[in-house]
């Protein structure tokens, strides 16, 4: 039975199983949800066993466990390693969700006339990860598995995959593979399939500015002492110049500059600035001078404040000068910036611009290195052929602005290429309120993945 | 019996009565404490009756009630109107208090060897207001009241006294007086008594910067859209220039410039920058170029961020670009800046510096006009004589950086001068964690106040 028929016959169950998985709030960033994160790893174990994997185990790490499962049919055949993550982003701000983030509902939208599943993690990454579990089910149930498969599903992706390197170092043999398959990215649109060939790296830091040793009355002290909030704003403002270039000395030294040809190739992807601004309800775009929107969010590094707090933030007014102000700042990196080096450059620079009237602390959080995959690899060609089978179109290679730091780690530790077959859309609002994943996209992913296995095995011969 | 003897005999009761008052969390800024604010007004009513006032009533207003009481002994004698407030600042950040803010404890400190009462409101203003209630008790109990007295104790001072103007307009006759007596300020030190002759005005606003219509993934959008937090920081940074002058056009136009003589007079007040920095644990002072610390926090206007928030502020990391960022900003004003005008100038300027890529909202909160009292008025001379009686020293006239917006309002609505007899110290940490009020200061205030009545009545003859 071909994949399309099987998916049509079982789609209701496929959707309900995902919904059950989405009900568990596996928020890795918040220790309060530890039990739920663990519970999710157990649910993944069960689903891998049902899908036909052998030796499924929950592998302990210094952090959250990694779920492993495999199906080895012939040592002489190639091996595909599937990577995904079962943890999700915090749902904040919860009040902006139209339905509770962990009570999944299916609603029709303009882009998703067949319905979309609304829940935190629907797309990133429970939905996309579960496509692979269901594709596995199809292949084993119908004797269509053409090669060996290994699954490695982690629970710390949203907090920097801190235990993954530890795990890879200790399990190189167990994880040995010929290609790594990941669905944790998006495609251009439902009728323009694309394969992500580039990802940005990341450096995430938290900064703390301390002024006076206690909160002060802004009347008695205002004007005479450094206000840590004003100073923090001042320092953050200094991190970009008037052209929105980042001012940290050395920040751009190793940035890979794309050729005119490469930029021209990128510019071919269908894009409407007007539609983009309309979708975000902004009057004007904003970014680094000399680059287009699609370049700014993919081939150029960035510096964004992800959170800021200090002083009185409650109702009403409090005339206080706070003792401390804080910010969470992340930098998206491109080839060939080294995230450890960038973190150090940030720290050195941020401390250097602090006035004598305050104390500054920079706490490095986590990071990852950028990655670009060649489009002539076996894995890329197999993925391309799979999309042609099910979309009837050749997918467009696309740079993505997001980061999956582990892709570079895989190349280093396991010495194999990752293929990023994403079925989500930018409009899926991952990391935002009302995250969702199109039912069509979900089922199309399950339908397409087995074609990858077929082509990859044949091309490997 | 003289005041000192009476205070010595009753001091334990005086302290316990204040402690009971401090146990009620009358936080006017937070609607959650409405019941407690009302409860406090009732406690004030009872205490005024016990102290010998007639016609004590809780007067309803559009906001929190104002407690009024009086003792009219002879229409031909002068009348003193006592003003104070029974509401307090929010205690945040609560975790920095060494003891719960509404469970008063007496502890000895270096500056207060006789002990200080630690609680929110201990000094600002329950403690200082209650000195007048106990002074009243002394005068009525010992037939020492030489003139008429009126009490007006409000419950909205910490949120801008929004209902007070409404109340004054409707009760001009009832509140008619020859001088207004207020203890809501401090003195230089226990052995350097001072009378506050100047107060700064205030303009308090809340600003909101909106970027995209929803929180976004900082990887997929970072660098291509305006980040409202970065923009807010940028805009706040632009509000001061490199000399820490405020950049709002027209902001300084009406600022009263003191003469060299006046500044030389001010400079005579004992002050050590080294001790100041040490007390706040700062390596360097910070402020407007060309002015001393004591000038910066008294005769010069300021602009301080009192609170800022936006994006993810929880534990761990979230790679998000927030849709909105917020800040509470207050400006301390000096004669002759008009706070309504300054609020408008701020709003106009803040909106004008916003880039096209964001939307900006400025919500004016409240404000007040600065005030300076002459030192040759009858009230000032009577207060000065009172300090001489009990401190054995002539008090120093002092400009304070704080704001009691209603002092200018009193002059306008009731056409009479306010005398600011403050007994607190800068180190009392009002508006901060661990606010306290020295037992010595509290009792000294009760002892000194009746002397003011005596001198004021005699000087009025």
């Amino acid at each position: 039975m071909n994949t399309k028929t099987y998916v049509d016959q079982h789609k209701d169950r496929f959707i309900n199983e995902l919904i059950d998985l989405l009900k568990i709030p596996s928020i890795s960033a918040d220790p309060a949800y530890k039990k739920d994160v663990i519970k999710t790893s157990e649910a993944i174990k069960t689903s891998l066993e049902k899908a036909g994997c052998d030796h499924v185990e929950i592998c302990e790490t210094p952090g959250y466990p990694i779920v492993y499962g495999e199906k080895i049919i012939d040592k002489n055949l190639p091996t595909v390693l599937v990577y995904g993550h079962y943890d999700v982003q915090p749902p904040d701000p919860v009040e902006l969700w139209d339905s509770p983030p962990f009570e999944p509902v299916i609603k029709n939208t303009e882009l998703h006339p067949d319905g979309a599943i609304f829940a935190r993690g629907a797309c990133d990454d429970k939905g996309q990860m579960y496509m692979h579990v269901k594709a596995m089910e199809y292949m084993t149930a119908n004797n269509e598995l053409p090669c060996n498969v290994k699954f490695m599903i982690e629970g710390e992706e949203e907090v920097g995959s801190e235990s993954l390197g530890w795990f890879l170092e200790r399990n190189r043999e167990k994880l040995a593979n010929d290609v790594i398959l990941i669905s944790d990215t998006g495609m251009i649109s439902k009728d323009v399939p694309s394969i992500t060939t580039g990802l940005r790296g990341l450096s995430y830091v938290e900064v703390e500015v301390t002024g006076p040793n206690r909160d002060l009355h802004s009347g008695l002290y205002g004007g005479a002492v450094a206000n840590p909030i004003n100073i923090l704003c001042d320092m953050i403002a200094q991190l970009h110049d008037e052209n929105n270039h980042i001012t940290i000395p050395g920040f751009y030294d190793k940035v890979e500059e794309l050729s005119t040809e490469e930029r021209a190739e990128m510019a071919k992807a269908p894009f409407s600035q007007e539609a983009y601004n309309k979708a975000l309800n902004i009057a004007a775009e904003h970014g680094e001078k000399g680059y287009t929107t699609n370049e700014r969010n993919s081939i150029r590094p960035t510096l964004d404040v992800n959170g800021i707090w200090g002083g009185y933030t409650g109702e009403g007014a409090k005339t206080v000068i706070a003792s401390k102000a804080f910010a969470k700042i992340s930098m998206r990196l491109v080839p060939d910036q080294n995230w450890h080096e960038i973190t150090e450059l940030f720290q050195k620079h941020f401390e250097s611009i602090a006035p004598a009237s305050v104390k500054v602390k920079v706490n490095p959080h986590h990071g990852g290195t950028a990655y670009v995959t060649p489009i002539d690899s076996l894995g890329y060609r197999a993925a391309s052929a799979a999309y042609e089978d099910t979309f009837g179109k050749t997918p467009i290679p696309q740079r993505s602005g997001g980061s999956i730091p582990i892709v570079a780690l895989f190349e280093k530790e396991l010495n194999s290429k990752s293929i990023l077959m994403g079925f989500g859309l930018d409009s899926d609002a991952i990391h935002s309120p009302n995250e969702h994943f199109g039912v069509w996209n979900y089922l199309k992913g399950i339908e397409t993945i087995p074609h990858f296995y077929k082509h990859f095995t044949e091309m490997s011969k």
Side-chain angles (χ1 to χ4, degrees), chain A:
Chain A
M1 182 190 317
N2 71 29
T3 56
K4 183 148 190 6
T5 317
Y6 188 83
V7 169
D8 287 342
Q9 282 177 12
H10 298 275
K11 65 181 177 202
D12 292 346
R13 177 171 57 84
F14 288 174
I15 292 164
N16 292 330
E17 286 177 13
L18 175 55
I19 284 176
D20 288 340
L21 195 59
L22 292 169
K23 286 177 180 169
I24 319 173
S26 50
I27 306 164
S28 50
D30 187 344
Y33 292 87
K34 183 164 188 185
K35 275 208 180 75
D36 297 295
V37 180
I38 300 298
K39 191 175 159 199
T40 312
S41 69
E42 288 153 0
I44 299 300
K45 176 172 185 286
T46 310
S47 63
L48 285 177
E49 285 163 343
K50 284 193 184 150
C53 286
D54 304 324
H55 313 303
V56 182
E57 53 180 327
I58 292 179
C59 311
E60 292 309 323
T61 75
Y64 284 121
I66 291 170
V67 187
Y68 177 84
E70 63 179 33
K71 185 85 180 173
I72 307 300
I73 58 172
D74 180 346
K75 291 232 170 306
N76 303 317
L77 287 168
T79 299
V80 175
L81 174 65
V82 175
Y83 165 85
H85 63 94
Y86 62 82
D87 62 322
V88 301
Q89 279 274 316
D92 321 53
V94 175
E95 64 275 15
L96 295 186
W97 285 72
D98 298 331
S99 57
F102 298 105
E103 295 172 24
V105 288
I106 297 182
K107 283 183 288 187
N108 296 347
T109 73
E110 200 178 319
L111 273 172
H112 299 292
D114 312 335
I117 304 168
F118 284 76
R120 168 59 81 228
C123 177
D124 178 14
D125 180 50
K126 283 176 176 169
Q128 295 217 74
M129 173 269 292
Y130 206 67
M131 296 183 306
H132 291 269
V133 179
K134 294 296 98 180
M136 176 72 176
E137 173 192 312
Y138 160 77
M139 294 187 286
T140 50
N142 298 277
N143 275 314
E144 296 275 354
L145 182 64
C147 61
N148 306 311
V149 191
K150 295 174 178 176
F151 277 85
M152 173 172 63
I153 313 300
E154 74 151 315
E156 297 184 305
E157 199 276 341
E158 300 295 2
V159 288
S161 302
E162 279 163 22
S163 307
L164 193 65
W166 179 93
F167 183 73
L168 295 179
E169 283 168 26
R170 286 161 180 71
N171 297 278
R172 284 204 183 81
E173 199 164 321
K174 176 186 205 161
L175 300 170
N177 66 82
D178 300 285
V179 69
I180 297 167
L181 193 54
I182 306 175
S183 295
D184 196 17
T185 51
M187 56 184 183
I188 291 173
S189 72
K190 284 159 79 172
D191 51 9
V192 184
S194 56
I195 297 173
T196 302
T197 55
L199 290 165
R200 290 196 284 191
L202 180 75
S203 167
Y204 201 108
V205 300
E206 192 165 312
V207 300
E208 174 187 316
V209 174
T210 305
N213 54 0
R214 58 184 166 93
D215 287 5
L216 299 174
H217 185 296
S218 72
L220 301 183
Y221 291 90
V225 297
N227 178 326
I229 301 178
N230 290 77
I231 299 289
L232 175 59
C233 290
D234 212 2
M235 293 172 72
I236 287 171
Q238 290 179 54
L239 297 175
H240 289 92
D241 69 13
E242 66 283 8
N243 295 322
N244 281 304
H245 292 302
I246 294 157
T247 56
I248 300 168
F251 185 83
Y252 291 100
D253 287 1
K254 298 188 176 170
V255 167
E256 165 213 53
E257 292 292 345
L258 268 66
S259 67
T260 323
E261 293 67 29
E262 287 172 297
R263 290 178 68 179
E265 193 52 40
M266 274 187 70
K268 287 182 185 160
F271 177 76
S272 155
Q273 185 69 54
E274 194 188 341
Y276 185 90
N277 292 2
K278 187 160 169 294
L280 299 175
N281 188 28
I282 53 178
E285 58 269 30
H286 177 100
E288 188 181 8
K289 198 174 175 187
Y291 295 91
T292 67
T293 291
N294 278 339
E295 290 171 334
R296 287 166 173 172
N297 63 23
S298 63
I299 62 167
R300 297 299 296 171
T302 68
L303 186 152
D304 273 300
V305 180
N306 302 112
I308 191 166
W309 66 103
Y312 183 67
T313 59
E315 266 202 66
K318 189 170 191 291
T319 48
V320 66
I321 293 177
S323 171
K324 289 174 181 291
F326 304 84
K328 293 175 192 273
I329 298 175
S330 68
M331 290 158 280
R332 295 285 170 174
L333 310 178
V334 299
D336 300 300
Q337 293 178 294
N338 172 303
W339 77 269
H340 296 283
E341 199 176 306
I342 292 294
T343 304
E344 267 177 40
L345 288 176
F346 175 92
Q347 178 152 13
K348 208 163 134 245
H349 179 63
F350 202 73
E351 287 165 355
S352 75
I353 61 175
S357 49
V358 299
K359 299 179 198 68
V360 166
K361 244 195 250 164
V362 176
N363 303 314
H365 209 296
H366 67 278
T369 302
Y371 178 79
V372 175
T373 186
I375 66 173
D376 55 3
S377 71
L378 202 63
Y380 185 90
R381 287 188 286 116
S384 186
Y387 280 98
E388 280 162 35
D389 292 343
T390 56
F391 285 78
K393 287 179 184 172
T394 308
I396 294 174
Q398 187 197 27
R399 287 281 198 108
S400 161
S403 303
I404 310 184
I406 45 83
V407 170
L409 190 66
F410 288 154
E411 181 130 17
K412 176 166 162 287
E413 296 291 342
L414 305 180
N415 185 35
S416 55
K417 295 260 171 263
S418 296
I419 303 304
L420 303 168
M421 290 178 75
F423 293 89
L425 300 176
D426 274 5
S427 54
D428 289 344
I430 66 172
H431 291 216
S432 306
N434 303 312
E435 173 179 356
H436 56 281
F437 189 32
V439 168
W440 183 91
N441 302 65
Y442 175 54
L443 300 175
K444 200 68 172 174
I446 301 172
E447 178 192 341
T448 306
I449 291 165
H451 291 264
F452 170 82
Y453 285 79
K454 189 166 102 298
H455 290 294
F456 186 74
T457 309
E458 285 165 4
M459 292 175 178
S460 302
K461 281 173 184 157

